[in-house]
Amino acid sequence: MSTTKKIGAALISVFHKDGLAPIVQKLHEYGVTLYSTGGTEKFIKDLGIPVVPVEDVTSYPSILGGRVKTLHPKVFGGILNRQDHDGDVKEMAEYEIPQLDLVIVDLYPFEKTVASGAPEQDIIEKIDIGGISLIRAAAKNFKDTLCVSSMEDYAEVLDIITNGNGSTTMAERKRFAAKSFAVSSHYDTAIFNYFNADHEIPSLKLSANNGKTLRYGENPHQKGFFFGDFDEVFDKLHGKELSYNNLLDVDAAVNLISEFQGEAPTFAVLKHNNACGFAQRDTMHQAYVDALAGDPTSAFGGVLIANGEIDELTAQEIHKLFCEVVIAPSFTPEALEILKGKKNRILLTLKNIVLPEMTVRTCLNGTLLQERDHKTDTTADLTNATNTQPTEKELEDLLFASKICKHTKSNTIVLAKNKQLCASGTGQTSRVDALRQAIEKATSFGFDLQGSVMASDAFFPFPDCVEIADKAGITAVIQPGGSIKDQLTVDYCNENNVSMVMTGTRHFKH
């Protein structure tokens, strides 16, 4: 039997009708019998094209408020019958079941209804039953039936019908079956995740559409893909395509700057997911200049992000630096014109969006899932552990450093002064090494650490870190506490007039 099939009859029942009319008209030109229901049936009639109501086939009206329309053996028999199976052919004739060679069906907008904040009953009514069943049936029987399950495919389907003179090939039907199962599995995943929002059932269901193939992964010999709605987070104004590594750095930048929303002008420079420069000032220009001073060497090829609009003066300074990405809530027209001066520089405006509540990463032959770290240390969380208490200025710097520390790879130490990142020790195997790295970097870039503060992402197991910090001129420390030897660290601070506050919250980042 030929793998090319002539379309003799089609069932069309869709929620989204944009782009459908040309397909209906083309099918009519080829003499295809059209079956339909409800609103789609009216849509076809309004085009002046004959259409057979499904009720005429099933001898049942749409019942239960439209919940049951197509769920009938005469409909599903027409889709699922095997045309090369003698028994199926005989039963089709015996029960007067019409052959259906094309099924165009989409699904109620469940995810959009959830996102709109609609009441639960409205959400439940958007759980499609007939549509999902028709899609599964038609996709299963791709040998004989073409299944179209999304309006995004209407243009391609029109081309297939036109180029094939009303016929479809096995390859086309099988490819559309795969697309249809992608639609159905994504839909069921969204429904399950709605019912399991509290994760009471220990089952992980992930689904993402519109995957993008990247130039490569972390290295040129690795394949890379991004699954997500980038346009929901950003408007891309200029520049080349983002790479795998760009996306990781952009994610780190967005999470870090979120700690400083609504605050004074703040600017961050990131490299390899860590802040190498960070400052908060009265103007965005000064915030950028002082952030860059934190580590102008590492800033080369980095990702820059601001918590407010980038103006012309700031853009002039940024333009002197080779950087991969610049992100801000907005750019003045003058700033945008300047920054577009480098054709590959990626410029993004960050929208006001809420990032996913859970974070996911692969591990061994499985997956790790955890809640996002929403805890930000505030003055209400602090306990004075030492006799000497931090001054008001030191307290501001301690909380400033703590926010940066939370978003830096462990083990980490962050040194700050006057709301400027002096240096950080990142991703070290010991806290002492992280501190020494931070002190060495700060000194090499000319920072005077006298009167600076230190933040640690986890407790100090021994007093050696505070001793090293004290001798470098650091006068105040913020850390979670919780070591069985906390008192040794506190004792050293008391003996040397170093103030220390404890937050009670660890911020590991691996």
Side-chain angles (χ1 to χ4, degrees):
M1 182 177 287
S2 171
T3 61
T4 299
K5 299 283 186 181
K6 190 77 174 174
I7 302 173
L11 171 64
I12 307 176
S13 180
V14 297
F15 187 89
H16 301 97
K17 300 173 183 65
D18 292 346
L20 181 64
I23 296 175
V24 173
Q25 289 163 344
K26 183 60 66 174
L27 292 171
H28 178 58
E29 286 178 24
Y30 286 121
V32 177
T33 302
L34 303 179
Y35 297 88
S36 191
T37 63
T40 308
E41 179 190 337
K42 181 180 183 303
F43 175 84
I44 296 172
K45 284 181 177 177
D46 289 345
L47 293 173
I49 293 173
V51 57
V52 180
V54 167
E55 290 93 329
D56 289 359
V57 177
T58 64
S59 299
Y60 272 91
S62 171
I63 62 173
L64 306 182
R67 280 190 165 197
V68 180
K69 293 186 289 243
T70 57
L71 296 168
H72 193 280
K74 282 200 171 183
V75 174
F76 281 87
I79 296 170
L80 285 166
N81 74 92
R82 294 158 291 185
Q83 294 181 26
D84 59 354
H85 189 283
D86 291 341
D88 286 7
V89 173
K90 180 180 177 181
E91 288 185 347
M92 291 284 286
E94 180 181 353
Y95 297 110
E96 299 180 337
I97 299 173
Q99 174 67 46
L100 295 172
D101 311 294
L102 169 63
V103 173
I104 304 178
V105 176
D106 62 5
L107 301 170
Y108 295 149
F110 177 82
E111 288 180 280
K112 286 185 179 179
T113 306
V114 172
S116 73
E120 182 171 83
Q121 188 53 46
D122 290 352
I123 292 171
I124 298 304
E125 289 306 313
K126 288 298 183 288
I127 298 176
D128 208 313
I129 304 301
I132 200 80
S133 302
L134 291 167
I135 287 171
R136 289 178 61 84
K140 173 180 179 177
N141 202 36
F142 67 87
K143 281 182 63 179
D144 296 313
T145 307
L146 177 67
C147 182
V148 181
S149 55
S150 171
M151 65 179 293
E152 294 178 3
D153 294 323
Y154 287 174
E156 184 179 355
V157 170
L158 181 61
D159 287 341
I160 288 173
I161 295 169
T162 303
N163 295 334
N165 293 316
S167 298
T168 63
T169 67
M170 176 71 81
E172 290 165 345
R173 295 192 298 274
K174 189 169 185 179
R175 183 162 55 84
F176 269 78
K179 287 187 174 193
S180 296
F181 285 121
V183 167
S184 65
S185 62
H186 180 83
Y187 195 74
D188 282 340
T189 294
I191 294 170
F192 169 75
N193 287 335
Y194 170 76
F195 280 96
N196 196 43
D198 58 0
H199 300 281
E200 182 178 342
I201 299 172
S203 180
L204 176 65
K205 306 291 183 187
L206 299 176
S207 180
N209 293 323
N210 303 318
K212 180 177 178 57
T213 300
L214 304 174
R215 294 196 304 274
Y216 51 80
E218 204 161 6
N219 298 291
H221 62 277
Q222 296 170 269
K223 291 182 180 179
F225 307 89
F226 173 69
F227 292 91
D229 189 350
F230 187 84
D231 294 337
E232 183 185 10
V233 186
F234 300 103
D235 283 325
K236 185 182 176 191
L237 307 179
H238 181 73
K240 63 183 180 180
E241 291 297 312
L242 280 87
S243 69
Y244 182 98
N245 293 329
N246 287 154
L247 288 165
L248 287 175
D249 284 333
V250 166
D251 176 70
V254 168
N255 279 280
L256 172 58
I257 209 68
S258 68
E259 302 281 353
F260 298 87
Q261 292 304 310
E263 297 190 13
T266 306
F267 213 105
V269 182
L270 287 90
K271 195 72 172 289
H272 298 298
N273 306 164
N274 297 307
C276 59
F278 202 101
Q280 187 173 86
R281 294 293 183 259
D282 292 333
T283 67
M284 194 60 73
H285 171 259
Q286 196 59 50
Y288 170 71
V289 169
D290 290 348
L292 181 63
D295 188 345
T297 301
S298 296
F300 183 86
V303 169
L304 281 57
I305 190 166
N307 73 340
E309 185 171 72
I310 292 180
D311 56 22
E312 181 178 7
L313 189 60
T314 308
Q316 289 172 347
E317 289 295 329
I318 293 172
H319 193 56
K320 300 173 185 177
L321 175 72
F322 169 70
C323 56
E324 292 272 353
V325 186
V326 184
I327 309 167
S330 61
F331 299 80
T332 66
E334 297 81 7
L336 195 56
E337 190 64 28
I338 292 168
L339 294 174
K340 283 183 175 180
K342 302 280 186 175
K343 86 173 174 181
N344 287 331
R345 181 185 285 146
I346 300 164
L347 304 178
L348 304 173
T349 54
L350 176 61
K351 300 177 183 179
N352 186 22
I353 62 109
V354 178
L355 294 172
E357 178 65 27
M358 308 300 287
T359 64
V360 184
R361 65 195 298 183
T362 59
C363 180
L364 300 175
N365 62 345
T367 305
L368 288 172
L369 182 75
Q370 70 167 346
E371 293 179 336
R372 187 175 295 277
D373 184 358
H374 286 300
K375 176 65 177 173
T376 298
D377 299 326
T378 66
T379 52
D381 301 310
L382 305 183
T383 300
N384 290 307
T386 54
N387 297 331
T388 302
Q389 297 186 14
T391 65
E392 184 175 343
K393 177 177 170 299
E394 286 175 333
L395 191 58
E396 289 180 354
D397 279 344
L398 286 169
L399 293 174
F400 173 84
S402 174
K403 291 179 182 179
I404 300 172
C405 191
K406 170 185 169 182
H407 294 275
T408 307
K409 294 286 186 183
S410 300
N411 286 321
T412 186
I413 292 289
V414 168
L415 306 181
K417 184 178 180 180
N418 298 326
K419 291 191 176 178
Q420 180 182 21
L421 174 63
C422 299
S424 57
T426 64
Q428 298 303 302
T429 52
S430 80
R431 207 154 297 281
V432 170
D433 285 346
L435 174 56
R436 285 179 173 148
Q437 181 192 54
I439 292 172
E440 181 180 348
K441 284 189 68 176
T443 303
S444 71
F445 289 116
F447 284 98
D448 177 8
L449 292 179
Q450 191 63 45
S452 63
V453 306
M454 173 174 73
S456 175
D457 62 333
F459 64 65
F460 299 112
F462 303 101
D464 46 4
C465 277
V466 290
E467 182 178 355
I468 294 169
D470 172 41
K471 291 177 179 177
I474 293 161
T475 56
V477 179
I478 186 169
Q479 60 129 328
S483 169
I484 59 173
K485 296 185 179 180
D486 271 348
Q487 192 58 48
L488 295 178
T489 300
V490 172
D491 289 344
Y492 178 90
C493 290
N494 283 333
E495 291 165 8
N496 294 275
N497 295 319
V498 176
S499 64
M500 177 183 289
V501 294
M502 295 185 181
T503 65
T505 303
R506 186 183 73 186
H507 291 292
F508 269 161
K509 186 181 182 213
H510 291 101

